[in-house]
Structure formats: structure tokens, C-alpha cells
Amino acid sequence: FVPPHSSFEIIELQYLLTLALMLLIAMITTHLASGLRNQVVIAENRERCIRSLYELAEELTGIASPNQIIHPCRRFVSDNFDAHGVLIFPDETGKLSGDANWLNLVNLPWAQRILDENMGTLPDFRTCLMEGSLYIPLQGSEKNQGIMVLTLKQTDGVLSGEQESLLRMSVTFMGLVLE
């Protein structure tokens, strides 16, 4: 483009200034493009979460009994958290019970404790962790409607901030549907 051709030698100072300015503009453009790509990924993840919540709400519309909520909630948990979900409901006396299919997966005394102690607000999920599973109350407006046991396939039991937010919204919704 400028003499000497086919060489990196810079003859005039103005060309050095032009080169530095072009490099600076290229670095700024690269940084902005990278930030935009990150924002696209975040927006796509949020869209996926909102779509998933919408699909759950659609499936739970018109639920008449607690047993009808089990399949849609298990699918939701599996799709969004890479986990296995078990829903446990209290009987008329407030005690958790159920069939033998899931009793070996659940620490029933711990689940009962979570059901009895956590009224009003959702607890910090770290306090609900026992043996690699999260025990989360399904809260209605007046009382807990049951417990969701979320067994994560990853062993540390840690959810990302976005997953925790999605879980809070979904269990709140499930609790209100059960009411």
C-alpha cells in the first residue's frame, strides 16, 4: 500500500501513527463484537428459560389433583437442571408418605423437616441440601403443599444463578397450582 512494498519497514512517522490507530480500532471492534456474542448467548438462555416456564404453565393449567402435576414437573426438572425430580405430598395429617418407588431415593425425615420448618418464604437452597439432593418446599399461599426432591447429576449440588432463579419461579408456581 505504501513504500517500501513487501516489507514491514516504516519509513515515515505518519505511517506508524496510522498503523497504531488502525490496530487500536481493530482491538476495540473485536472487544465489542465479543461482548455482543456474550449478550446473544445470555439472551438465548433467558429465552429458553422463559419458554420452558411457559410450557410448564401450559401443562399445569387445569390440574385437578396432585398426581397430575408429577409428570410435567419431572420433565421440567430433567430438561432444565439435568436432574431427577421427585414430588412428595403430605397426607391429611401433614405427614409425608408415598409408594415404595421413590422412598429409597428420599430422606423422608429430612423432607418432613423441610416441609414443617419452611413456611412463608423459600429458603436458601444451600440449607436444603442433603446427601446430594435439594429438598425444596412447594409453597402455597397458606401452607406448604409438598416437597420437591431434586437430585442433581453433578455431585456438588450447586446451581448457577440463572438455574436457581428458574427453580425459584417454578417451585413457586407449582406450589400455587397445587393449592
Side-chain angles (χ1 to χ4, degrees), residues 11-155:
I11 295 176
E12 294 187 32
L13 187 59
Q14 76 180 36
Y15 297 142
L16 181 63
L17 184 61
T18 302
L19 176 65
L21 188 59
M22 290 176 133
L23 284 174
L24 179 66
I25 291 171
M27 289 173 54
I28 291 172
T29 304
T30 301
H31 177 71
L32 291 174
S34 174
L36 186 59
R37 277 191 296 272
N38 291 340
Q39 291 299 319
V40 166
V41 168
I42 290 169
E44 287 172 345
N45 286 339
R46 285 186 182 151
E47 177 193 4
R48 183 186 50 77
C49 290
I50 290 169
R51 185 179 324 113
S52 183
L53 279 172
Y54 175 76
E55 290 169 358
L56 178 65
E58 202 171 42
E59 286 185 74
L60 297 182
T61 302
I63 293 292
S65 72
N67 290 334
Q68 291 175 317
I69 199 173
I70 293 172
H71 179 69
C73 291
R74 280 187 180 167
R75 182 201 50 78
F76 178 83
V77 165
S78 176
D79 291 349
N80 291 284
F81 303 105
D82 194 28
H84 175 71
V86 174
L87 297 174
I88 313 167
F89 305 109
D91 60 17
E92 308 81 41
T93 64
K95 298 297 176 195
L96 294 172
S97 61
D99 62 36
N101 290 336
W102 54 262
L103 282 178
N104 60 343
L105 303 173
V106 174
N107 183 326
L108 204 53
W110 181 254
Q112 187 68 51
R113 179 176 166 211
I114 296 292
L115 180 76
D116 295 339
E117 289 182 1
N118 292 292
M119 299 294 288
T121 60
L122 277 175
D124 180 1
F125 290 146
R126 290 177 296 249
T127 64
C128 299
L129 186 63
M130 169 67 92
E131 299 169 356
S133 296
L134 288 170
Y135 289 73
I136 305 160
L138 302 174
Q139 296 180 330
S141 59
E142 295 180 17
K143 66 175 187 160
N144 288 336
Q145 303 297 316
I147 295 288
M148 177 170 31
V149 181
L150 193 68
T151 305
L152 303 170
K153 292 180 182 169
Q154 58 192 25
T155 57

Side-chain angles (χ1 to χ4, degrees), residues 157-172:
V158 176
L159 298 172
S160 70
E162 191 171 297
Q163 284 181 315
E164 190 170 315
S165 176
L166 179 62
L167 184 58
R168 285 186 185 282
M169 286 186 278
S170 63
V171 297
T172 300

